Amino acid sequence: MIPRISIVGRWLATGAAALSLLACSQGDARPKSASAKAPPQPYARDPFPSTYRAYPGVPTLVRNVTVYDGEGGRIDNGQVLFADGKIVAVGQSVNAPADAQVIDGTGKWVTPGVVDIHSHLGDYPTPSVQAHSDGNEATGPITADVWAEHSVWPQDPGFSRALANGGVTTLQILPGSANLMGGRSVVLKNVYARTMQAMKFPGAPYGLKMACGENPKRVYGSKSRQPSTRMGNIAVDRATWAKAQSYRRKWDRYDADGGDMPDRDIAMDTLRGVLAGEILIQNHCYRADEMAIVEDMAKEFGYKVTAFHHAVEAYKIADILKANGTCAAVWADWYGFKMESYDGIGENLAILERAGACAMIHSDDENGIQRLNQEVAKVLASGRRAGIDIAPQVAWKWLSLGPATALGIADRTGSLKPGKMADVVLWNGDPFSVYTRPEKVWIDGALLFDATDPKRRPVSDFELGQPGSGDVK
Amino acid sequence: MKRALLLLATMLASPVAAQTVAITGATVATGDGSAPIENGTVVFQNGRIVAAGPGIAVPAGAQVIDGRGKWVSPGFVAGFSDLGISDAAGVEESNDAGARNAPFNAAIDVAVAINPAEVKIANERLGGVTRALVAPEAAGSIFAGEGAVIDLGDDPDAVTRPRAFQFVELGESGGRLAGGSRPAAYAMLRDALAQAEDYRRNPAAFGGRERMSLVKRGDAQALLRVLDGSVPLVVHVERASDILTVLALPRDYPRLKLVLTGVSEGWMVAREIAAARVPVIAAALADLPAQFESLGATESNVGRMRAAGVQVALASTGNSGGEHNLRQYAGNLVAIARLPGHTGLAWGQALAAITSGPAAALGMDGEIGSLRAGRRADVVLWDGDPLELSSAPTAVWIDGRAQPMNSRQKALRDRYLVPTEGALPKAYER
């Protein structure tokens, strides 16, 4: 561990101790006993809680529409009803209340909102100026202490484009990939707010961003410090996990028995959360051989890799990923921009799907996030030509339920299942056609984008009063 | 040496096929801005288009290809790419796009570095791309150097036109390259052009060899070609005010042939661009205030400029390997034409923006970019609408020569269709 982090950790621990002393003197009048251990006091797991509240909506019935339910189902000439922020019913015909707003979806499609598991909106916002570059705490290879949510600028104009052009209703904001352990992610509802907390997806688990390969070794190698090689990457990772195991033992013992509170270490809190299964590993990793090594490292230390991101070579090891229960979040057709992306092919997702591995699309890009449906359409076409014919309704899982599952929120969003959040997109045609656009987007049943209504088009503070403010984008 | 090898290779592999080919019964999209024609015929011979359209007779002895249910279009022309000069952009050793520490700038000529065997060329060819405007990257000066037009054919002769344009960065990046400000970039531009004039007046007296000199002899020669209008000057700017500043340059340099690229705020000064008759090669879908110089960015930019009479083409953005997405960009501009408040392109205009458009920007639309008679026969047969994401080429001709429909990506795909290893390691499957 680098000294900077332990200094920060110690400072916070001191502060916490002072606070608890204060609490004792004010409220706790029990007599002190020299022999009895002080009872354990758990630290806050959610110190920046979500204040997100769904905006009001009206009971809405979309009928005469083609439905991809996000779980692999397709209903032609179907109906979707949602009310009070929740999906109520989806089917060939549903019973709607008399006061429901009725939308004729003839020639149109309804799908669950798109979930992007890999975004840097808010922490690399536009304008992309140095003053906004808040995604990589590139000051040490292990910065598990940083939380992406503390960088998120809720006024990023990119959120509106992801909504209006991409039908994105939920997104995970990750720190960048300069570091082996780059910090915690945060999951947001794509609803503008004055504060980050008010965008925060209620109850979504945190993720820990890890990175393999060229980025960390380049960033630190160029500073002549470890890691400068792939073997250095794994060495620093393993040393850190070993320390985390010891930290976990110390705190687990304290949580059970009480006594003297161990020193808090903010970075180690996150790793302890991973080892306890509360925080999900979201691991930037391109190459097949490297992913296999990371899987073994995870077994060595008793954690699980939830998803490899940018898994350009996942198609080579679909069987290994499947056996480990690890998802692959990938681009449709990015390749050739660096050595570890040299073997990218357009059939990656299709090969993974056919092999039964968990797979999904992701953007990692403020432009790509606006067209994830089109990215999937390209994969479908490439797959079909390779003899892998995947039905479009099955492919929609790559856009919603798959990423929601890998974020640990699939019980709440990601498909049009009764009781789930009414995160819904009405597309003005087949969403896998290049000629189709989102027409309406509801989040928790509230209409937050309408292509036919200039008033349902968000304008972030930054853009207000600027050239083109309120214009179509 | 490289040039000699290139010449030798050219002589060995004749890129022109003499045979007459007729594709019949297809939907023909000529790429000149017109709407597609159903049940049309395309005839090409000796590497050139003979005719394309409805009611065209099939010449005797022609190889006839049944195009029923299919579409024919010209191959796409990638407006700005690093195809052929960078195997992997992030691998410095493989990347000849930019030269941060070179003493030269405008003299840098990418043509000598083009590698027709680079694997991305075959990959992108299978996406329907047949030509590319290959631009150097400005790294050590506002002048990037001279770009080339190349073909993506499976032969060792890739350069269609060397010195096809000079590329210069103005706007924010130009300011940065010039030492920190836009005014510094303009001072550098004007000083460099003045030095080129000095060189013209008296080549023998021209220094240009001093270590600190910004303009070497070669740079001066390259800039004279720009001043004479024999090489177009492609200027990267985004902001409306920057565009107007650039449009004023011909007042001082009257023979300058300007082309604008980037231009995300072009719609704000579209009438001025149209009046100046300066073509643009714009990013189709730039809709974010990516920098302070593009606060007005919108996907309607290209459509609004076109509506104002600007000659527009689409740039292939980013590193090479993404050129196959040109049709996706074009298709999106068709899609927004259906939405209130947006301005997009008609289908034929959208195809033109990725075929004849970039060619016309360099004055090469008489040579490439459409299926009009006399043009080089860069022809793609598609299994559907070429702008639709579900479509793909079933055959590609470049200069009339049928291209192999394989690539390294396809070989990788075939090797890993079943990811597990079989009786022998994967390394034995090929």
Side-chain angles (χ1 to χ4, degrees), chain A residues 128 161 333 335 337 343 354 370 378 385 433-435 471, chain B residues 90 124 287 290 304 324-325 328 347 383 385 388 390 408 417:
Chain A
S128 311
R161 312 303 196 270
D333 57 1
Y335 79 99
F337 48 96
D343 283 4
R354 186 171 70 173
Q370 302 177 36
K378 288 190 276 182
R385 286 191 181 83
S433 165
V434 78
Y435 302 123
D471 190 7
Chain B
E124 296 308 304
D287 61 1
R304 289 174 185 170
H324 62 279
N325 290 318
Q328 187 185 355
W347 194 95
D383 59 8
D385 171 353
E388 186 54 277
S390 55
R408 181 172 178 278
L417 273 176

PDB file of all heavy atoms in Angstrom, chain A residues 128 161 333 335 337 343 354 370 378 385 433-435 471, chain B residues 90 124 287 290 304 324-325 328 347 383 385 388 390 408 417:
ATOM      1  N   SER A 128     -14.416  18.042 -22.618  1.00  0.00           N
ATOM      2  CA  SER A 128     -13.336  17.180 -22.130  1.00  0.00           C
ATOM      3  C   SER A 128     -12.070  17.985 -21.876  1.00  0.00           C
ATOM      4  O   SER A 128     -11.072  17.812 -22.549  1.00  0.00           O
ATOM      5  CB  SER A 128     -13.049  16.089 -23.148  1.00  0.00           C
ATOM      6  OG  SER A 128     -14.233  15.461 -23.546  1.00  0.00           O
ATOM      7  N   ARG A 161     -27.741  13.019 -23.901  1.00  0.00           N
ATOM      8  CA  ARG A 161     -27.586  12.340 -25.190  1.00  0.00           C
ATOM      9  C   ARG A 161     -27.822  10.838 -25.037  1.00  0.00           C
ATOM     10  O   ARG A 161     -28.428  10.206 -25.898  1.00  0.00           O
ATOM     11  CB  ARG A 161     -26.192  12.577 -25.776  1.00  0.00           C
ATOM     12  CG  ARG A 161     -25.705  14.021 -25.772  1.00  0.00           C
ATOM     13  CD  ARG A 161     -26.633  14.972 -26.506  1.00  0.00           C
ATOM     14  NE  ARG A 161     -25.948  16.217 -26.782  1.00  0.00           N
ATOM     15  CZ  ARG A 161     -25.938  17.288 -25.964  1.00  0.00           C
ATOM     16  NH1 ARG A 161     -26.642  17.278 -24.854  1.00  0.00           N
ATOM     17  NH2 ARG A 161     -25.249  18.373 -26.285  1.00  0.00           N
ATOM     18  N   ASP A 333     -17.607  -4.057 -32.175  1.00  0.00           N
ATOM     19  CA  ASP A 333     -16.650  -4.244 -33.272  1.00  0.00           C
ATOM     20  C   ASP A 333     -15.400  -3.385 -33.124  1.00  0.00           C
ATOM     21  O   ASP A 333     -14.719  -3.135 -34.105  1.00  0.00           O
ATOM     22  CB  ASP A 333     -17.341  -3.947 -34.610  1.00  0.00           C
ATOM     23  CG  ASP A 333     -17.934  -2.550 -34.656  1.00  0.00           C
ATOM     24  OD1 ASP A 333     -17.801  -1.798 -33.679  1.00  0.00           O
ATOM     25  OD2 ASP A 333     -18.551  -2.202 -35.688  1.00  0.00           O
ATOM     26  N   TYR A 335     -11.670  -2.746 -32.573  1.00  0.00           N
ATOM     27  CA  TYR A 335     -10.473  -3.592 -32.658  1.00  0.00           C
ATOM     28  C   TYR A 335      -9.325  -2.753 -33.173  1.00  0.00           C
ATOM     29  O   TYR A 335      -9.517  -1.666 -33.743  1.00  0.00           O
ATOM     30  CB  TYR A 335     -10.717  -4.772 -33.604  1.00  0.00           C
ATOM     31  CG  TYR A 335     -10.612  -4.414 -35.080  1.00  0.00           C
ATOM     32  CD1 TYR A 335      -9.453  -4.684 -35.808  1.00  0.00           C
ATOM     33  CD2 TYR A 335     -11.655  -3.778 -35.735  1.00  0.00           C
ATOM     34  CE1 TYR A 335      -9.346  -4.343 -37.154  1.00  0.00           C
ATOM     35  CE2 TYR A 335     -11.559  -3.433 -37.083  1.00  0.00           C
ATOM     36  CZ  TYR A 335     -10.397  -3.714 -37.783  1.00  0.00           C
ATOM     37  OH  TYR A 335     -10.300  -3.361 -39.101  1.00  0.00           O
ATOM     38  N   PHE A 337      -6.921  -0.881 -32.076  1.00  0.00           N
ATOM     39  CA  PHE A 337      -6.416   0.428 -31.653  1.00  0.00           C
ATOM     40  C   PHE A 337      -5.249   0.294 -30.692  1.00  0.00           C
ATOM     41  O   PHE A 337      -4.576   1.265 -30.394  1.00  0.00           O
ATOM     42  CB  PHE A 337      -7.533   1.287 -31.062  1.00  0.00           C
ATOM     43  CG  PHE A 337      -8.377   0.581 -30.044  1.00  0.00           C
ATOM     44  CD1 PHE A 337      -8.114   0.707 -28.688  1.00  0.00           C
ATOM     45  CD2 PHE A 337      -9.430  -0.224 -30.443  1.00  0.00           C
ATOM     46  CE1 PHE A 337      -8.888   0.056 -27.749  1.00  0.00           C
ATOM     47  CE2 PHE A 337     -10.215  -0.886 -29.506  1.00  0.00           C
ATOM     48  CZ  PHE A 337      -9.941  -0.741 -28.161  1.00  0.00           C
ATOM     49  N   ASP A 343      -6.983  -8.526 -31.753  1.00  0.00           N
ATOM     50  CA  ASP A 343      -7.745  -9.702 -32.185  1.00  0.00           C
ATOM     51  C   ASP A 343      -9.258  -9.517 -32.048  1.00  0.00           C
ATOM     52  O   ASP A 343      -9.998 -10.503 -31.993  1.00  0.00           O
ATOM     53  CB  ASP A 343      -7.300 -10.947 -31.395  1.00  0.00           C
ATOM     54  CG  ASP A 343      -5.967 -11.491 -31.901  1.00  0.00           C
ATOM     55  OD1 ASP A 343      -5.373 -10.855 -32.803  1.00  0.00           O
ATOM     56  OD2 ASP A 343      -5.517 -12.532 -31.402  1.00  0.00           O
ATOM     57  N   ARG A 354     -23.709 -18.203 -28.016  1.00  0.00           N
ATOM     58  CA  ARG A 354     -23.918 -19.580 -28.440  1.00  0.00           C
ATOM     59  C   ARG A 354     -23.255 -20.559 -27.479  1.00  0.00           C
ATOM     60  O   ARG A 354     -23.740 -21.665 -27.261  1.00  0.00           O
ATOM     61  CB  ARG A 354     -23.396 -19.809 -29.857  1.00  0.00           C
ATOM     62  CG  ARG A 354     -23.758 -21.215 -30.343  1.00  0.00           C
ATOM     63  CD  ARG A 354     -23.475 -21.420 -31.790  1.00  0.00           C
ATOM     64  NE  ARG A 354     -22.045 -21.455 -32.059  1.00  0.00           N
ATOM     65  CZ  ARG A 354     -21.516 -21.765 -33.237  1.00  0.00           C
ATOM     66  NH1 ARG A 354     -22.320 -22.054 -34.251  1.00  0.00           N
ATOM     67  NH2 ARG A 354     -20.226 -21.764 -33.411  1.00  0.00           N
ATOM     68  N   GLN A 370     -24.802   6.297 -27.014  1.00  0.00           N
ATOM     69  CA  GLN A 370     -25.999   6.814 -27.684  1.00  0.00           C
ATOM     70  C   GLN A 370     -26.563   5.839 -28.712  1.00  0.00           C
ATOM     71  O   GLN A 370     -27.631   6.089 -29.278  1.00  0.00           O
ATOM     72  CB  GLN A 370     -25.675   8.141 -28.383  1.00  0.00           C
ATOM     73  CG  GLN A 370     -25.145   9.207 -27.442  1.00  0.00           C
ATOM     74  CD  GLN A 370     -24.768  10.471 -28.187  1.00  0.00           C
ATOM     75  OE1 GLN A 370     -25.423  10.861 -29.150  1.00  0.00           O
ATOM     76  NE2 GLN A 370     -23.713  11.139 -27.743  1.00  0.00           N
ATOM     77  N   LYS A 378     -25.317  -4.723 -35.178  1.00  0.00           N
ATOM     78  CA  LYS A 378     -24.150  -5.122 -35.981  1.00  0.00           C
ATOM     79  C   LYS A 378     -23.699  -6.534 -35.605  1.00  0.00           C
ATOM     80  O   LYS A 378     -23.323  -7.330 -36.462  1.00  0.00           O
ATOM     81  CB  LYS A 378     -23.003  -4.117 -35.789  1.00  0.00           C
ATOM     82  CG  LYS A 378     -23.273  -2.785 -36.474  1.00  0.00           C
ATOM     83  CD  LYS A 378     -22.037  -1.899 -36.471  1.00  0.00           C
ATOM     84  CE  LYS A 378     -21.902  -1.130 -35.191  1.00  0.00           C
ATOM     85  NZ  LYS A 378     -20.732  -0.233 -35.173  1.00  0.00           N
ATOM     86  N   ARG A 385     -24.125 -14.173 -40.306  1.00  0.00           N
ATOM     87  CA  ARG A 385     -23.259 -14.566 -41.431  1.00  0.00           C
ATOM     88  C   ARG A 385     -22.278 -15.656 -41.035  1.00  0.00           C
ATOM     89  O   ARG A 385     -21.778 -16.372 -41.877  1.00  0.00           O
ATOM     90  CB  ARG A 385     -22.505 -13.349 -41.955  1.00  0.00           C
ATOM     91  CG  ARG A 385     -23.439 -12.489 -42.706  1.00  0.00           C
ATOM     92  CD  ARG A 385     -22.823 -11.379 -43.495  1.00  0.00           C
ATOM     93  NE  ARG A 385     -23.953 -10.712 -44.096  1.00  0.00           N
ATOM     94  CZ  ARG A 385     -24.672  -9.795 -43.463  1.00  0.00           C
ATOM     95  NH1 ARG A 385     -24.340  -9.394 -42.258  1.00  0.00           N
ATOM     96  NH2 ARG A 385     -25.733  -9.280 -44.051  1.00  0.00           N
ATOM     97  N   SER A 433     -32.770  -1.420 -36.385  1.00  0.00           N
ATOM     98  CA  SER A 433     -32.563  -0.775 -37.683  1.00  0.00           C
ATOM     99  C   SER A 433     -31.838   0.551 -37.486  1.00  0.00           C
ATOM    100  O   SER A 433     -32.084   1.264 -36.502  1.00  0.00           O
ATOM    101  CB  SER A 433     -33.905  -0.502 -38.366  1.00  0.00           C
ATOM    102  OG  SER A 433     -33.727   0.420 -39.430  1.00  0.00           O
ATOM    103  N   VAL A 434     -30.993   0.883 -38.422  1.00  0.00           N
ATOM    104  CA  VAL A 434     -30.257   2.158 -38.346  1.00  0.00           C
ATOM    105  C   VAL A 434     -31.220   3.348 -38.467  1.00  0.00           C
ATOM    106  O   VAL A 434     -30.897   4.463 -38.052  1.00  0.00           O
ATOM    107  CB  VAL A 434     -29.170   2.206 -39.451  1.00  0.00           C
ATOM    108  CG1 VAL A 434     -29.768   2.523 -40.822  1.00  0.00           C
ATOM    109  CG2 VAL A 434     -28.065   3.199 -39.112  1.00  0.00           C
ATOM    110  N   TYR A 435     -32.393   3.110 -39.011  1.00  0.00           N
ATOM    111  CA  TYR A 435     -33.345   4.203 -39.260  1.00  0.00           C
ATOM    112  C   TYR A 435     -34.271   4.480 -38.081  1.00  0.00           C
ATOM    113  O   TYR A 435     -35.194   5.275 -38.198  1.00  0.00           O
ATOM    114  CB  TYR A 435     -34.170   3.882 -40.511  1.00  0.00           C
ATOM    115  CG  TYR A 435     -33.318   3.659 -41.744  1.00  0.00           C
ATOM    116  CD1 TYR A 435     -33.381   2.477 -42.471  1.00  0.00           C
ATOM    117  CD2 TYR A 435     -32.416   4.636 -42.163  1.00  0.00           C
ATOM    118  CE1 TYR A 435     -32.579   2.270 -43.584  1.00  0.00           C
ATOM    119  CE2 TYR A 435     -31.607   4.435 -43.256  1.00  0.00           C
ATOM    120  CZ  TYR A 435     -31.688   3.254 -43.966  1.00  0.00           C
ATOM    121  OH  TYR A 435     -30.877   3.057 -45.059  1.00  0.00           O
ATOM    122  N   ASP A 471     -31.531  23.039 -28.350  1.00  0.00           N
ATOM    123  CA  ASP A 471     -31.619  22.534 -29.720  1.00  0.00           C
ATOM    124  C   ASP A 471     -31.696  21.006 -29.693  1.00  0.00           C
ATOM    125  O   ASP A 471     -31.342  20.392 -28.692  1.00  0.00           O
ATOM    126  CB  ASP A 471     -30.331  22.978 -30.447  1.00  0.00           C
ATOM    127  CG  ASP A 471     -30.369  22.737 -31.944  1.00  0.00           C
ATOM    128  OD1 ASP A 471     -31.431  22.354 -32.467  1.00  0.00           O
ATOM    129  OD2 ASP A 471     -29.317  22.957 -32.585  1.00  0.00           O
TER     130      ASP A 471
ATOM    131  N   GLY B  90      -2.188   2.587 -30.895  1.00  0.00           N
ATOM    132  CA  GLY B  90      -1.548   2.682 -29.588  1.00  0.00           C
ATOM    133  C   GLY B  90      -0.159   2.064 -29.537  1.00  0.00           C
ATOM    134  O   GLY B  90       0.537   2.198 -28.538  1.00  0.00           O
ATOM    135  N   GLU B 124     -11.557  -3.777 -43.324  1.00  0.00           N
ATOM    136  CA  GLU B 124     -12.469  -2.667 -43.637  1.00  0.00           C
ATOM    137  C   GLU B 124     -13.037  -2.791 -45.049  1.00  0.00           C
ATOM    138  O   GLU B 124     -14.148  -2.345 -45.315  1.00  0.00           O
ATOM    139  CB  GLU B 124     -11.755  -1.329 -43.432  1.00  0.00           C
ATOM    140  CG  GLU B 124     -11.339  -1.081 -41.984  1.00  0.00           C
ATOM    141  CD  GLU B 124     -12.473  -1.264 -40.990  1.00  0.00           C
ATOM    142  OE1 GLU B 124     -13.510  -0.597 -41.150  1.00  0.00           O
ATOM    143  OE2 GLU B 124     -12.335  -2.101 -40.077  1.00  0.00           O
ATOM    144  N   ASP B 287     -22.442  15.356 -31.331  1.00  0.00           N
ATOM    145  CA  ASP B 287     -23.576  16.079 -30.766  1.00  0.00           C
ATOM    146  C   ASP B 287     -23.315  16.505 -29.328  1.00  0.00           C
ATOM    147  O   ASP B 287     -24.218  16.920 -28.631  1.00  0.00           O
ATOM    148  CB  ASP B 287     -24.850  15.214 -30.840  1.00  0.00           C
ATOM    149  CG  ASP B 287     -24.723  13.921 -30.043  1.00  0.00           C
ATOM    150  OD1 ASP B 287     -23.660  13.706 -29.421  1.00  0.00           O
ATOM    151  OD2 ASP B 287     -25.679  13.130 -30.044  1.00  0.00           O
ATOM    152  N   ALA B 290     -17.948  18.553 -26.935  1.00  0.00           N
ATOM    153  CA  ALA B 290     -16.738  17.803 -26.601  1.00  0.00           C
ATOM    154  C   ALA B 290     -15.633  18.731 -26.117  1.00  0.00           C
ATOM    155  O   ALA B 290     -14.821  18.352 -25.279  1.00  0.00           O
ATOM    156  CB  ALA B 290     -16.278  16.990 -27.809  1.00  0.00           C
ATOM    157  N   ARG B 304     -28.233  20.471 -41.810  1.00  0.00           N
ATOM    158  CA  ARG B 304     -28.462  21.923 -41.945  1.00  0.00           C
ATOM    159  C   ARG B 304     -27.471  22.547 -42.927  1.00  0.00           C
ATOM    160  O   ARG B 304     -27.824  23.440 -43.695  1.00  0.00           O
ATOM    161  CB  ARG B 304     -28.343  22.590 -40.570  1.00  0.00           C
ATOM    162  CG  ARG B 304     -29.506  22.260 -39.649  1.00  0.00           C
ATOM    163  CD  ARG B 304     -29.283  22.823 -38.255  1.00  0.00           C
ATOM    164  NE  ARG B 304     -30.345  22.394 -37.352  1.00  0.00           N
ATOM    165  CZ  ARG B 304     -30.318  22.576 -36.039  1.00  0.00           C
ATOM    166  NH1 ARG B 304     -29.282  23.178 -35.474  1.00  0.00           N
ATOM    167  NH2 ARG B 304     -31.311  22.157 -35.288  1.00  0.00           N
ATOM    168  N   HIS B 324     -15.685   0.951 -41.427  1.00  0.00           N
ATOM    169  CA  HIS B 324     -16.912   0.254 -41.827  1.00  0.00           C
ATOM    170  C   HIS B 324     -18.157   0.903 -41.221  1.00  0.00           C
ATOM    171  O   HIS B 324     -19.269   0.613 -41.652  1.00  0.00           O
ATOM    172  CB  HIS B 324     -16.830  -1.229 -41.440  1.00  0.00           C
ATOM    173  CG  HIS B 324     -16.712  -1.463 -39.963  1.00  0.00           C
ATOM    174  ND1 HIS B 324     -15.526  -1.355 -39.283  1.00  0.00           N
ATOM    175  CD2 HIS B 324     -17.639  -1.782 -39.043  1.00  0.00           C
ATOM    176  CE1 HIS B 324     -15.734  -1.600 -37.997  1.00  0.00           C
ATOM    177  NE2 HIS B 324     -17.018  -1.862 -37.829  1.00  0.00           N
ATOM    178  N   ASN B 325     -17.974   1.749 -40.219  1.00  0.00           N
ATOM    179  CA  ASN B 325     -19.121   2.407 -39.596  1.00  0.00           C
ATOM    180  C   ASN B 325     -19.594   3.656 -40.337  1.00  0.00           C
ATOM    181  O   ASN B 325     -20.573   4.282 -39.922  1.00  0.00           O
ATOM    182  CB  ASN B 325     -18.798   2.766 -38.144  1.00  0.00           C
ATOM    183  CG  ASN B 325     -18.691   1.530 -37.271  1.00  0.00           C
ATOM    184  OD1 ASN B 325     -19.496   0.608 -37.405  1.00  0.00           O
ATOM    185  ND2 ASN B 325     -17.694   1.484 -36.401  1.00  0.00           N
ATOM    186  N   GLN B 328     -23.103   3.432 -41.048  1.00  0.00           N
ATOM    187  CA  GLN B 328     -23.945   3.620 -39.860  1.00  0.00           C
ATOM    188  C   GLN B 328     -24.157   5.119 -39.603  1.00  0.00           C
ATOM    189  O   GLN B 328     -25.263   5.558 -39.279  1.00  0.00           O
ATOM    190  CB  GLN B 328     -23.284   2.953 -38.654  1.00  0.00           C
ATOM    191  CG  GLN B 328     -24.137   2.942 -37.401  1.00  0.00           C
ATOM    192  CD  GLN B 328     -23.384   2.387 -36.202  1.00  0.00           C
ATOM    193  OE1 GLN B 328     -22.254   1.921 -36.311  1.00  0.00           O
ATOM    194  NE2 GLN B 328     -24.023   2.435 -35.046  1.00  0.00           N
ATOM    195  N   TRP B 347     -31.873   9.780 -48.358  1.00  0.00           N
ATOM    196  CA  TRP B 347     -31.035   8.585 -48.462  1.00  0.00           C
ATOM    197  C   TRP B 347     -29.898   8.760 -49.476  1.00  0.00           C
ATOM    198  O   TRP B 347     -28.743   8.448 -49.200  1.00  0.00           O
ATOM    199  CB  TRP B 347     -31.910   7.371 -48.821  1.00  0.00           C
ATOM    200  CG  TRP B 347     -31.206   6.065 -48.614  1.00  0.00           C
ATOM    201  CD1 TRP B 347     -31.270   5.262 -47.516  1.00  0.00           C
ATOM    202  CD2 TRP B 347     -30.301   5.414 -49.525  1.00  0.00           C
ATOM    203  NE1 TRP B 347     -30.475   4.166 -47.679  1.00  0.00           N
ATOM    204  CE2 TRP B 347     -29.865   4.223 -48.904  1.00  0.00           C
ATOM    205  CE3 TRP B 347     -29.817   5.719 -50.796  1.00  0.00           C
ATOM    206  CZ2 TRP B 347     -28.972   3.338 -49.511  1.00  0.00           C
ATOM    207  CZ3 TRP B 347     -28.929   4.838 -51.399  1.00  0.00           C
ATOM    208  CH2 TRP B 347     -28.509   3.659 -50.762  1.00  0.00           C
ATOM    209  N   ASP B 383     -26.096  -7.492 -49.804  1.00  0.00           N
ATOM    210  CA  ASP B 383     -27.270  -8.360 -49.652  1.00  0.00           C
ATOM    211  C   ASP B 383     -28.492  -7.586 -49.167  1.00  0.00           C
ATOM    212  O   ASP B 383     -29.520  -8.173 -48.842  1.00  0.00           O
ATOM    213  CB  ASP B 383     -26.950  -9.554 -48.731  1.00  0.00           C
ATOM    214  CG  ASP B 383     -26.509  -9.131 -47.341  1.00  0.00           C
ATOM    215  OD1 ASP B 383     -26.594  -7.927 -47.010  1.00  0.00           O
ATOM    216  OD2 ASP B 383     -26.067 -10.012 -46.567  1.00  0.00           O
ATOM    217  N   ASP B 385     -29.950  -3.122 -48.233  1.00  0.00           N
ATOM    218  CA  ASP B 385     -29.695  -1.686 -48.184  1.00  0.00           C
ATOM    219  C   ASP B 385     -28.301  -1.430 -47.574  1.00  0.00           C
ATOM    220  O   ASP B 385     -28.042  -1.811 -46.430  1.00  0.00           O
ATOM    221  CB  ASP B 385     -30.810  -1.079 -47.323  1.00  0.00           C
ATOM    222  CG  ASP B 385     -30.605   0.387 -46.979  1.00  0.00           C
ATOM    223  OD1 ASP B 385     -29.538   0.944 -47.272  1.00  0.00           O
ATOM    224  OD2 ASP B 385     -31.543   0.966 -46.400  1.00  0.00           O
ATOM    225  N   GLU B 388     -28.060  -0.052 -44.069  1.00  0.00           N
ATOM    226  CA  GLU B 388     -28.723  -0.756 -42.968  1.00  0.00           C
ATOM    227  C   GLU B 388     -27.726  -1.689 -42.274  1.00  0.00           C
ATOM    228  O   GLU B 388     -26.871  -2.305 -42.909  1.00  0.00           O
ATOM    229  CB  GLU B 388     -29.941  -1.518 -43.516  1.00  0.00           C
ATOM    230  CG  GLU B 388     -30.809  -2.191 -42.471  1.00  0.00           C
ATOM    231  CD  GLU B 388     -31.296  -1.243 -41.361  1.00  0.00           C
ATOM    232  OE1 GLU B 388     -30.519  -1.012 -40.415  1.00  0.00           O
ATOM    233  OE2 GLU B 388     -32.451  -0.766 -41.439  1.00  0.00           O
ATOM    234  N   SER B 390     -28.006  -4.517 -40.903  1.00  0.00           N
ATOM    235  CA  SER B 390     -28.088  -5.962 -41.140  1.00  0.00           C
ATOM    236  C   SER B 390     -27.441  -6.367 -42.464  1.00  0.00           C
ATOM    237  O   SER B 390     -27.287  -7.548 -42.739  1.00  0.00           O
ATOM    238  CB  SER B 390     -29.558  -6.397 -41.136  1.00  0.00           C
ATOM    239  OG  SER B 390     -30.283  -5.626 -42.076  1.00  0.00           O
ATOM    240  N   ARG B 408      -8.102 -11.222 -41.920  1.00  0.00           N
ATOM    241  CA  ARG B 408      -7.596 -11.842 -40.695  1.00  0.00           C
ATOM    242  C   ARG B 408      -8.720 -11.981 -39.674  1.00  0.00           C
ATOM    243  O   ARG B 408      -8.796 -12.977 -38.957  1.00  0.00           O
ATOM    244  CB  ARG B 408      -6.463 -10.993 -40.117  1.00  0.00           C
ATOM    245  CG  ARG B 408      -5.874 -11.574 -38.855  1.00  0.00           C
ATOM    246  CD  ARG B 408      -4.632 -10.855 -38.380  1.00  0.00           C
ATOM    247  NE  ARG B 408      -4.160 -11.456 -37.143  1.00  0.00           N
ATOM    248  CZ  ARG B 408      -4.661 -11.170 -35.955  1.00  0.00           C
ATOM    249  NH1 ARG B 408      -5.620 -10.260 -35.836  1.00  0.00           N
ATOM    250  NH2 ARG B 408      -4.203 -11.764 -34.876  1.00  0.00           N
ATOM    251  N   LEU B 417     -15.016 -20.217 -33.788  1.00  0.00           N
ATOM    252  CA  LEU B 417     -16.464 -20.428 -33.783  1.00  0.00           C
ATOM    253  C   LEU B 417     -16.840 -21.443 -32.712  1.00  0.00           C
ATOM    254  O   LEU B 417     -17.875 -21.340 -32.061  1.00  0.00           O
ATOM    255  CB  LEU B 417     -16.938 -20.914 -35.157  1.00  0.00           C
ATOM    256  CG  LEU B 417     -17.262 -19.808 -36.170  1.00  0.00           C
ATOM    257  CD1 LEU B 417     -17.625 -20.406 -37.511  1.00  0.00           C
ATOM    258  CD2 LEU B 417     -18.360 -18.879 -35.667  1.00  0.00           C
TER     259      LEU B 417
END
